[in-house]
Amino acid sequence: MAVQQSQVLPAQFVQDLGQDLAKQVTAQSGVPVVSTGIAGISQQAGESADDFAARQQAAREFTTRQQSLSGLAPQVASQDALQTQAQTLAQQGVGSFQPFLNQAQTQATLASGLGTQALGQLGTAASTFGGIGTGATSFQQGVQDFMSPYQSQVIDATLSEFDRNKAIQEQSIRDQQTALGALGSGRAGVQLAEFGTGAARERALLQAGLLQQGFGQAAGARQQDIQNRFAQAGATQGLGSFQSGLAGQQAQFGAQQQALQGTDISRLGSLGALNQAQQQANLDATREAARQATFLPQEQLDRFAGQVTGIMGGYPGQTQTTNIPNPTPLQTALGVGTTLAGIYGAAGQGARDFSLRGVPRD
């Protein structure tokens, strides 16, 4: 049986496009994939010179494509001024509670010391005040500490002046008695005795007054000292209470330390997440730009292949095959006879035509 095959080819330009696509696909398959510039290329161990040169050429082409695609490369907007300011303020606020806690501890220590001092002063004042209540003797023992160290000199000088004046007055009395001629008489003796008794009484009163005055001044100073001690103890106690209250207020800040630390941790975590997202966006943009420059030839070839495939779909080639059965012996014999008859017929007709051409016509 004979086989007859007929083929309808597409247009020539379609064949040319297909051949060009095949050449580009074959050439692209041998190009190494490089995603860095020439500066990042170095010959590896076991790499041939030809392979290294191919990678260098691919790196140069990658740099060229990357520069050409710079306008299309992904970009990440940086943080604006308000975000930067907010981040700075947030970081400055981290740990700001610590000075309050330290100050609270200091104030508490001072308050404790002042409280102890106030208790001691109150105890001393109470003991002194209690001693006054036991009688004048106890109070007088305390008063002695406030007596003027110059009191005896003052008393001695005053009494000496009194004695000098007394002697002057006695001499005046004797002069009067002498002038009257009564000196040495009984009446003159009585007069001098009365004067001496009065002078002695006045001298004793003067001395007692001076002593009483000194004691009064000392007692006043002693009483003032007691009052001052009570006032000092009260003031110290008030200062201790103030410091204690201040320590309590400062301690309130320290009591919130856990909450404040939690706030700081949350704030720092949020800032870290923001910075991480910003950095990751930059890395993604850089990676996408490198990917674009690396696979641009493949993507262009894919687009070209899709376009060529579409064109070839509009101009499809066809192949048609026809099966012809083999002739039988009879058909073969008839065919041969027919063929020979045709040949002979054609030959005879040619001879007649030749003979006719050779005979002249009338």
Side-chain angles (χ1 to χ4, degrees):
M1 178 180 293
V3 177
Q4 182 178 359
Q5 185 178 18
S6 62
Q7 185 177 14
V8 180
L9 298 176
Q12 185 62 42
F13 77 94
V14 176
Q15 298 182 48
D16 295 339
L17 287 176
Q19 293 176 359
D20 184 58
L21 176 61
K23 293 179 181 178
Q24 292 191 40
V25 170
T26 303
Q28 186 63 40
S29 63
V31 177
V33 177
V34 176
S35 60
T36 183
I38 190 65
I41 296 297
S42 61
Q43 188 170 7
Q44 303 298 319
E47 185 179 23
S48 65
D50 293 340
D51 293 340
F52 179 57
R55 287 202 304 122
Q56 286 181 317
Q57 180 61 29
R60 295 188 186 93
E61 294 176 356
F62 170 82
T63 302
T64 301
R65 291 193 300 270
Q66 195 173 39
Q67 293 174 353
S68 300
L69 294 173
S70 60
L72 299 176
Q75 297 182 358
V76 179
S78 60
Q79 296 182 358
D80 61 15
L82 293 179
Q83 288 177 316
T84 304
Q85 184 179 3
Q87 189 174 36
T88 301
L89 292 176
Q91 290 176 341
Q92 290 176 353
V94 173
S96 58
F97 61 89
Q98 192 62 42
F100 294 100
L101 181 60
N102 296 337
Q103 189 174 2
Q105 294 175 346
T106 302
Q107 294 296 338
T109 303
L110 292 176
S112 177
L114 291 173
T116 302
Q117 183 179 355
L119 289 175
Q121 292 177 349
L122 286 173
T124 302
S127 176
T128 302
F129 184 75
I132 297 175
T134 61
T137 302
S138 178
F139 179 75
Q140 185 175 2
Q141 291 176 354
V143 170
Q144 295 298 325
D145 296 334
F146 294 89
M147 294 292 290
S148 173
Y150 305 103
Q151 185 173 4
S152 59
Q153 288 86 342
V154 173
I155 293 176
D156 292 342
T158 302
L159 294 179
S160 297
E161 183 64 20
F162 180 85
D163 293 339
R164 189 179 69 82
N165 291 330
K166 174 187 174 185
I168 293 174
Q169 291 178 1
E170 287 181 349
Q171 186 61 41
S172 177
I173 291 173
R174 288 189 179 92
D175 291 342
Q176 291 177 358
Q177 290 176 353
T178 300
L180 295 174
L183 182 62
S185 62
R187 292 180 60 187
V190 172
Q191 183 181 8
L192 290 173
E194 287 292 334
F195 175 76
T197 301
R201 185 171 58 252
E202 292 178 0
R203 189 178 187 280
L205 290 174
L206 177 60
Q207 185 178 7
L210 292 174
L211 291 174
Q212 181 62 34
Q213 182 180 3
F215 180 80
Q217 293 176 351
R222 173 64 168 157
Q223 187 66 32
Q224 185 63 42
D225 176 64
I226 294 175
Q227 294 177 358
N228 291 340
R229 291 187 182 185
F230 275 106
Q232 183 179 5
T236 304
Q237 185 180 21
L239 181 59
S241 299
F242 172 76
Q243 294 289 350
S244 178
L246 183 59
Q249 293 177 358
Q250 296 293 339
Q252 291 178 0
F253 294 100
Q256 299 177 0
Q257 182 175 7
Q258 294 296 330
L260 294 173
Q261 285 181 343
T263 302
D264 287 347
I265 293 173
S266 177
R267 182 182 295 115
L268 290 175
S270 299
L271 294 176
L274 176 63
N275 293 336
Q276 184 182 28
Q278 183 78 17
Q279 185 177 5
Q280 185 61 48
N282 291 328
L283 294 176
D284 292 342
T286 302
R287 178 182 58 82
E288 179 61 21
R291 190 200 65 79
Q292 290 179 353
T294 300
F295 297 102
L296 179 62
Q298 290 88 336
E299 292 176 355
Q300 290 177 336
L301 185 58
D302 291 341
R303 289 194 298 269
F304 179 66
Q307 294 172 354
V308 171
T309 302
I311 293 174
M312 293 179 69
Y315 297 88
Q318 295 180 358
T319 300
Q320 183 177 359
T321 302
T322 304
N323 295 322
I324 302 176
N326 294 327
T328 63
L330 178 60
Q331 291 174 337
T332 303
L334 293 175
V336 171
T338 303
T339 303
L340 290 175
I343 294 174
Y344 290 143
Q349 180 66 32
R352 286 193 299 268
D353 291 340
F354 176 77
S355 60
L356 291 177
R357 285 196 300 271
V359 177
R361 293 181 179 182
D362 293 337

